[in-house]
Amino acid sequence: EVQLVESGGGLVQPGGSLRLSCVASGFTFSSYAMNWVRQAPGKGLEWVSSISHSGSGTYYADSVKGRFTISRDNSKNTLYLQMNSLRGEDTAVYYCARDRGVVRGLEIDYWGQGTLVTVSS
Amino acid sequence: DIVMTQTPLSSPVTLGQPASISCRSSQSLVHSDGNTYLSWLQQRPGQPPRLLIYKISNRFSGVPDRFSGSGAGTDFTLKISRVEAADVGVYYCMQGTQIPLTFGGGTKVEIK
């Protein structure tokens, strides 16, 4: 069974940093591209970032480019999202999501339960 | 960026009756590899999204056959043949043909 378990969310002040983690199990992690998708309270879904199966290719939404960094450690079956210079509009539930693609996000097939990030003073 | 537009915003449906959701993209979703990366997701209240349909019309593992997808190019449709109580939630279309991946605004399916 595919499982994705996020952690690292919490309350942070504007301008602060957080690192999200996602531990994957139930599949060969190194064979799949991975994504981060967020959902602001009461709002729709917004893609944040994708990373290729090997980690060599990374892609970002314009809204986070230069502030967020996606990475992965295939030896630990773990996906990361380093978030710097956080703003109020980054407040959201952040989902880790597996992709059916290899090189980049194409079709998201499995989602974690999400971790809430709140940016507020 | 490709803009995904869903209609209606809300769909009150009687149990056992069909429901239909439309999704239109601002440009063709046909990828250079010949595939069309249009997916449909369901998000039940308080739950993460769940994949229902990928590449326009392929049902994902475990998805009941009352869900079906159709369309081509820029116009796509999700149909629920007979709505059940478990189908209540918000439905999203999503395109993966071009980065950034983009989602429709969502359609809320509720029981009348």
Side-chain angles (χ1 to χ4, degrees):
Chain A
E1 180 195 3
V2 172
Q3 287 201 322
L4 301 167
V5 180
E6 304 95 335
S7 62
L11 175 63
V12 61
Q13 292 189 337
S17 298
L18 273 180
R19 187 173 87 152
L20 306 184
S21 299
C22 170
V23 177
S25 61
F27 66 101
T28 304
F29 182 68
S30 59
S31 295
Y32 293 85
M34 296 293 295
N35 303 276
W36 288 100
V37 177
R38 68 185 180 184
Q39 186 169 35
K43 302 296 185 184
L45 300 167
E46 180 189 16
W47 172 79
V48 173
S49 183
S50 294
I51 187 167
S52 66
H53 71 107
S54 65
S56 61
T58 57
Y59 309 85
Y60 298 94
D62 285 346
S63 58
V64 307
K65 202 172 292 183
R67 300 187 299 123
F68 290 11
T69 303
I70 190 171
S71 62
R72 65 192 296 162
D73 185 336
N74 286 344
S75 68
K76 295 182 179 179
N77 288 352
T78 303
L79 176 72
Y80 302 100
L81 186 67
Q82 177 67 44
M83 304 187 296
N84 299 330
S85 304
L86 282 160
R87 307 166 179 166
E89 54 264 37
D90 296 319
T91 294
V93 173
Y94 284 72
Y95 294 104
C96 166
R98 193 184 84 165
D99 208 278
R100 291 170 58 83
V102 175
V103 174
R104 66 158 179 87
L106 284 174
E107 298 170 315
I108 295 175
D109 59 358
Y110 288 97
W111 299 68
Q113 290 294 313
T115 187
L116 176 63
V117 172
T118 303
V119 183
S120 174
S121 55
Chain B
D1 298 3
I2 297 177
V3 177
M4 306 296 287
T5 304
Q6 284 183 235
T7 54
L9 289 179
S10 176
S11 180
V13 186
T14 301
L15 286 173
Q17 292 300 301
S20 180
I21 300 169
S22 175
C23 176
R24 178 166 290 177
S25 58
S26 60
Q27 58 192 86
S28 173
L29 297 187
V30 179
H31 191 276
S32 57
D33 67 6
N35 290 308
T36 299
Y37 293 101
L38 185 283
S39 303
W40 289 97
L41 309 168
Q42 175 197 60
Q43 189 173 30
R44 292 171 171 147
Q47 293 294 313
R50 163 198 178 200
L51 177 64
L52 295 177
I53 303 284
Y54 63 97
K55 287 191 190 72
I56 303 176
S57 59
N58 295 274
R59 264 189 306 276
F60 190 57
S61 174
V63 175
D65 60 8
R66 64 177 183 276
F67 291 93
S68 64
S70 62
T74 61
D75 286 286
F76 308 93
T77 302
L78 175 71
K79 290 184 179 174
I80 311 174
S81 58
R82 295 172 304 279
V83 171
E84 299 185 1
D87 300 335
V88 165
V90 180
Y91 291 76
Y92 297 92
C93 58
M94 188 201 95
Q95 70 80 22
T97 294
Q98 191 180 103
I99 291 283
L101 308 186
T102 49
F103 297 86
T107 296
K108 189 172 185 178
V109 171
E110 52 197 358
I111 305 301
K112 235 184 242 182

